[in-house]
Amino acid sequence: MSRSVLTPLTLLLLLLAPWSSHGSDADRYGVVFHVDSDTKINHMLRQVGRHHAANHAMPTRVILIAEGVKAALDNATDSSGGAYSAQMEQLIAAGVRIVACETTLTSYGLSADDLALGIETIPSGVAELARLQVSHQWAYIKL
């Protein structure tokens, strides 16, 4: 084939490739919540719960980074003595995935064993935020 035919054909394949590769990806569209503070965790959990109740079929993840991981520790409580884990377990049971950054845990001298039941870990919260937004076109909400 001549070069003049290959170039348009190559361009066409490059343009169509993203559409065909995303078609089978169940996580293509979703919402990821970025939480890096433990000061308003109760408010954050209510916001995520409201989102998920209104959009229950939409994949939802909460990524806890920096001080945000503190609320996911086993036996963590709010200022009134309420257990954060109970609220998180409700969200997890409803299908929300809550993940803690392993880099943050390591910086605090903690591990996945210190987390409440159902909390998952990922190597890097920031990298996961970027991956979901760029590779899977997820919406990003910073709480």
Side-chain angles (χ1 to χ4, degrees):
M1 288 188 152
S2 75
R3 227 183 147 127
S4 61
V5 172
L6 282 178
T7 302
L9 199 60
T10 303
L11 287 173
L12 180 63
L13 289 174
L14 288 173
L15 289 172
L16 293 177
W19 297 106
S20 62
S21 66
H22 286 302
S24 63
D25 189 350
D27 287 343
R28 180 167 182 217
Y29 297 113
V31 175
V32 59
F33 290 88
H34 169 191
V35 179
D36 62 5
S37 172
D38 63 345
T39 58
K40 295 184 178 181
I41 293 293
N42 286 325
H43 175 72
M44 179 278 299
L45 294 171
R46 285 192 304 272
Q47 294 286 51
V48 172
R50 282 193 280 276
H51 156 74
H52 195 65
N55 303 290
H56 62 277
M58 185 181 298
T60 303
R61 289 192 194 153
V62 175
I63 297 183
L64 303 169
I65 301 171
E67 292 181 2
V69 302
K70 292 179 181 178
L73 297 176
D74 198 23
N75 299 317
T77 58
D78 62 21
S79 59
S80 302
Y84 289 125
S85 62
Q87 298 170 62
M88 290 187 188
E89 285 173 14
Q90 289 176 346
L91 290 172
I92 292 167
V96 174
R97 291 181 61 194
I98 301 176
V99 298
C101 173
E102 291 173 8
T103 302
T104 298
L105 289 171
T106 300
S107 74
Y108 288 139
L110 301 167
S111 72
D113 294 334
D114 297 304
L115 297 172
L117 183 66
I119 306 297
E120 302 172 56
T121 62
I122 49 174
S124 170
V126 172
E128 182 68 359
L129 287 168
R131 185 187 73 80
L132 289 172
Q133 291 176 80
V134 173
S135 298
H136 298 285
Q137 300 177 1
W138 279 42
Y140 168 86
I141 299 174
K142 170 76 167 75
L143 292 177

